[in-house]
Amino acid sequence: PETGKEGGFVVANDAVGCGTGELVLYASGSSARQTEITKDRPCDAVVMAIVDSWEIGGATLYDKHSTEHGYGD
């Protein structure tokens, strides 16, 4: 959302049940093995959160529940 451009792709285990097209946060490396689902497993990346909104300097850059994303009036 900050630049609006897509980057590369990451294959990650989903620990939170995200859906297609959702903006997520992920952890990689040894941090990816800190969830109950991935603990002690050979995992290099895990989705750890679904982003509801993103605000920087008082400006909302992303809002999952906006009309742009199919919500609202």
Side-chain angles (χ1 to χ4, degrees), residues 20-60:
T20 302
E22 288 192 289
L23 187 62
V24 299
L25 298 178
Y26 75 95
S28 61
S30 63
S31 297
R33 294 181 288 281
Q34 301 298 316
T35 71
E36 289 186 30
I37 293 172
T38 58
K39 186 175 181 174
D40 299 325
R41 298 185 185 266
C43 173
D44 193 47
V46 64
V47 174
M48 61 182 190
I50 299 169
V51 177
D52 287 329
S53 63
W54 185 1
E55 182 180 304
I56 296 177
T60 301

Side-chain angles (χ1 to χ4, degrees), residues 2-20:
E2 192 168 4
T3 63
K5 297 178 182 176
E6 291 185 19
F9 293 93
V10 174
V11 176
N13 289 316
D14 183 1
V16 295
C18 65
T20 302

